[in-house]
Amino acid sequence: QVQLVESGGGLVQAGASLRLSCAASTRTFSSYDMGWFRQAPGKEREFVAPISWSGGRTYYADSVKGRFTISRDNAKNTVNLQMNTLNSEDTAVYYCAAGGSGTSEFDYEYNFWGQGTQVTVSS
């Protein structure tokens, strides 16, 4: 089992930045591909960005490309999401997830999920 705990969410104004972190409780963190997803009110959960187990492969949803950066620190068992130039459409609950099927944009590829952290962007 892998337990994931997200932190760093909050209420910010449009144009601001936030850094989300996800801490994993597993000795084999470096073997997991990780991902960030989000779910806005009334909408389905959507992919944001994955990162490979080594950190060497990442990609982004078109809606966040150029503004968000995913990274990981295998020594600290953490994966981060730096979010810049936030806008109201980024308002959502953000979830980190752990999986072993390669970097994927599909939520069913991930086996473990955190409880989420709320990000609210006021315009």
Side-chain angles (χ1 to χ4, degrees):
Q1 278 285 36
V2 178
Q3 292 188 330
L4 303 171
V5 179
E6 302 94 337
S7 62
L11 171 64
V12 297
Q13 291 188 331
S17 299
L18 276 177
R19 183 177 177 86
L20 305 183
S21 291
C22 173
S25 62
T26 173
R27 295 180 181 178
T28 58
F29 177 73
S30 61
S31 68
Y32 287 94
D33 299 302
M34 301 295 294
W36 283 98
F37 291 76
R38 67 186 183 184
Q39 187 166 19
K43 296 185 177 181
E44 294 191 355
R45 185 165 57 192
E46 66 174 3
F47 151 77
V48 176
I51 186 167
S52 62
W53 63 271
S54 67
R57 184 166 184 257
T58 63
Y59 61 95
Y60 300 89
D62 288 343
S63 58
V64 307
K65 198 173 297 182
R67 300 187 298 121
F68 290 14
T69 302
I70 188 171
S71 62
R72 68 188 294 162
D73 185 338
N74 286 343
K76 296 182 178 180
N77 282 17
T78 58
V79 59
N80 304 301
L81 187 68
Q82 177 66 42
M83 307 187 295
N84 298 328
T85 321
L86 287 161
N87 59 59
S88 58
E89 294 186 349
D90 296 317
T91 294
V93 177
Y94 283 72
Y95 299 91
C96 73
S101 300
T103 46
S104 173
E105 63 186 80
F106 302 109
D107 56 6
Y108 58 78
E109 300 273 20
Y110 293 85
N111 307 110
F112 305 101
W113 293 81
Q115 293 297 308
T117 185
Q118 176 71 48
V119 172
T120 304
V121 184
S122 63
S123 55

